[in-house]
Amino acid sequence: GELVIPTRLLGSVLRDASTGEILEDQVTTDPADVERALAAADRVHREGVWWSVPLAERCAYLRRIASELERVEVQMGEADAQNTGVNKQLTLIINSTLKSAFQGIADGLSEDGVRSLYTGSFGPIEVQRKPWGPTVVLAPWNVPGGSVVPKVAAALGVGCPVLLKPSEWAPKALDLLGRAIHQAGLPAGVFQVLHGGGDVGSALVQDPRVASVNFTGSLPVGRKVAAACASQFKPCLLELGGSNPLLVLRDANVDAAAESTLQGMTMLNGQWCAGVGRILVHRSLYKQFLDALLARIRALKVRASADPECEVGPLAHPGHLAHMQERIR
């Protein structure tokens, strides 16, 4: 239930994606505080601090979180634009929708979904759906809140304590989320935010007190998460990037195909799991399609993320820029 500001340095800095200005040092939660958080989540679950709260009361907490989120949604949108380089008009829209995740879970949960009664051949059957236990949610840097808030809301709604780790490249918006949830007054240890790099994420995933893991991010890291969970028969949900090609078939409308391709290439500055990385075009449409797509690309307004005319902003951080440059060599 305490707000503890991490002071250990990761050895790198966070920069404004648009200007390169240094914003702050990257920090990580101390290992002792990671252990405290895991112990608290374990205690909360074992003692029924959260799952034993009547469903109607838990839903009331979720609605309070939604109200608190509304107070900080603009700050979250601005932070995402600054950390990720994504057009601020879009990050403001995304973050303005996050409160609906908590409202939707609160409105949709019912006792019927938690406990069901059936008539069996040898007597009545009762099915109870119990929360797994402490849930780890590992967030990506490309669209932090939009990726993980619905999962956080669902886990809290069904009675699981949640440990959220933002990406070290885009921590600000989810730090604000943590403070908003804190303001909603949930019992201590029900929701906790831990900062840091892969070592913190690995410690959380591998800890046997964690009952389930939700990861959004790259395929290589997803493989490691899956392997760590498999060794403990621990359920995990993976939302990973892919490289399935976009197909333009012989009977395609070339203008419509070029416009759709452009949207897939530029959404979130191309930094998203369904971004278009490869295009396979029928030979008969190749030149016509390429001309149509290049004409649209040349017309794009590449600006700083806060510029009202921005259609495509910069890549999120120097490491990702280097990765993309290596891919196109």
Side-chain angles (χ1 to χ4, degrees):
E2 305 172 30
L3 288 173
V4 179
I5 299 175
T7 57
R8 296 186 73 222
L9 302 182
L10 277 176
S12 188
V13 295
L14 286 172
R15 296 179 182 271
D16 184 308
S18 296
T19 68
E21 174 191 358
I22 294 177
L23 301 174
E24 57 188 311
D25 290 314
Q26 286 183 321
V27 295
T28 181
T29 300
D30 188 87
D33 286 330
V34 173
E35 169 56 31
R36 286 178 60 204
L38 285 162
D42 181 56
R43 176 190 58 78
V44 162
H45 184 66
R46 283 188 295 100
E47 297 179 2
V49 171
W50 183 236
W51 61 256
S52 67
V53 172
L55 182 59
E57 191 175 336
R58 280 208 310 273
C59 289
Y61 275 114
L62 297 184
R63 293 188 177 95
R64 284 204 288 276
I65 293 172
S67 296
E68 293 296 334
L69 269 181
E70 193 166 15
R71 302 175 195 273
V72 298
E73 62 187 29
V74 171
Q75 290 174 263
M76 292 176 67
E78 291 172 343
D80 274 354
Q82 193 173 50
N83 282 164
T84 68
V86 173
N87 181 341
K88 188 172 81 169
Q89 297 177 71
L90 178 57
T91 62
L92 289 173
I93 291 171
I94 291 171
N95 281 277
S96 72
T97 67
L98 300 184
K99 56 183 177 289
S100 65
F102 289 95
Q103 292 168 339
I105 294 295
D107 293 342
L109 282 174
S110 69
E111 294 291 352
D112 291 339
V114 175
R115 177 174 175 270
S116 302
L117 297 174
Y118 303 94
T119 301
S121 301
F122 301 100
I125 299 172
E126 179 177 335
V127 177
Q128 296 187 8
R129 296 170 180 85
K130 299 290 189 180
W132 279 100
T135 296
V136 164
V137 179
L138 303 174
W141 51 258
N142 62 334
V143 54
S147 295
V148 302
V149 163
K151 300 158 188 176
V152 169
L156 289 175
V158 299
C160 295
V162 173
L163 299 129
L164 170 66
K165 193 197 87 67
S167 165
E168 65 272 32
W169 295 107
K172 182 64 175 178
L174 294 183
D175 193 65
L176 289 166
L177 168 70
R179 292 170 185 269
I181 293 178
H182 180 73
Q183 288 296 317
L186 275 67
V190 170
F191 179 81
Q192 301 174 88
V193 178
L194 298 99
H195 291 283
D199 58 330
V200 174
S202 179
L204 294 173
V205 169
Q206 295 184 40
D207 195 283
R209 291 167 292 187
V210 169
S212 64
V213 175
N214 190 303
F215 170 76
T216 304
S218 70
L219 180 60
V221 178
R223 283 198 179 103
K224 294 179 181 178
V225 171
C229 290
S231 68
Q232 298 180 35
F233 296 99
K234 182 183 299 183
C236 65
L237 190 155
L238 306 175
E239 184 180 341
L240 310 178
S243 59
N244 290 336
L246 183 146
L247 304 180
V248 181
L249 303 181
R250 180 169 52 187
D251 60 349
N253 178 307
V254 171
D255 284 333
E259 187 62 34
S260 296
T261 303
L262 183 75
Q263 295 303 315
M265 293 173 67
T266 59
M267 172 69 72
L268 302 177
N269 300 345
Q271 304 170 141
W272 67 308
C273 55
V276 176
R278 294 184 293 155
I279 310 168
L280 301 181
V281 185
H282 191 275
R283 193 181 309 275
S284 65
L285 298 180
Y286 174 76
K287 186 178 186 310
Q288 186 182 358
F289 172 83
L290 184 61
D291 289 345
L293 179 59
L294 290 177
R296 286 167 168 79
I297 291 173
R298 293 187 184 105
L300 286 171
K301 295 177 181 177
V302 181
R303 302 282 192 275
S305 61
D307 190 316
E309 293 190 351
C310 174
E311 293 178 331
V312 176
L315 296 181
H317 57 83
H320 184 54
L321 173 61
H323 170 69
M324 294 307 297
Q325 288 173 328
E326 183 63 30
R327 288 190 66 181
I328 62 178
R329 280 181 184 148

